[in-house]
Amino acid sequence: QVQLVESGGGLVQAGGSLRLSCAVSGSIFSINDMGWYRQAPGKQRELVAAISSGAATNYVDSVKGRFTISRDNAKKTVYLQMNSLKPEDTAVYYCNARIKTTPLRGFYDYWGQGTQVTVSS
């Protein structure tokens, strides 16, 4: 059974910083892309940042220059460093990973439970 456990959310003032972590555990053969999504009330879930197994990254335009995604493959953990936070960054942030649990299976998407990030003005 695969689990993704997020941590690091909370309440912060505008201009502040937070660092989200997502640790993957369970029966895992390989992890491909990892990423962070967010969903604000009344809005669709959107991709915030993604990182490939080769450490290539991409970001939604609204966070470029402020957020940094990274991963530690040995720890099976992905991070999201969020700086210069704005009220519009307020959302539930979800971790995602494409995981192969056995050599014979394909890659499937797994999700964390979500962590709330609230930025006050």
Side-chain angles (χ1 to χ4, degrees), residues 107-120:
F107 284 95
Y108 291 87
D109 280 322
Y110 291 84
W111 293 88
Q113 79 285 357
T115 185
Q116 177 71 45
V117 171
T118 302
V119 183
S120 63

Side-chain angles (χ1 to χ4, degrees), residues 21 34-35 41-43 54 60 70 100-101 109:
S21 299
M34 304 181 82
K43 295 188 176 181
V60 66
S70 61
K100 180 182 287 194
T101 54
D109 280 322

Side-chain angles (χ1 to χ4, degrees), residues 7-93:
S7 60
L11 173 64
V12 65
Q13 287 189 332
S17 298
L18 285 173
R19 188 191 194 209
L20 305 183
S21 299
C22 172
V24 181
S25 63
S27 178
I28 298 162
F29 176 74
S30 178
I31 303 175
N32 198 343
D33 294 348
M34 304 181 82
W36 289 94
Y37 290 70
R38 66 186 179 187
Q39 187 166 19
K43 295 188 176 181
Q44 288 189 330
R45 188 175 297 190
E46 66 169 350
L47 174 65
V48 176
I51 184 166
S52 72
S53 56
T57 59
N58 66 282
Y59 299 90
V60 66
D61 285 347
S62 60
V63 308
K64 286 180 180 177
R66 301 188 297 123
F67 290 12
T68 302
I69 189 170
S70 61
R71 63 192 284 172
D72 185 328
N73 291 326
K75 295 182 178 180
K76 299 185 182 65
T77 300
V78 62
Y79 306 95
L80 186 67
Q81 178 66 43
M82 304 185 294
N83 299 327
S84 303
L85 282 160
K86 304 176 181 180
E88 51 263 42
D89 294 318
T90 295
V92 178
Y93 284 69

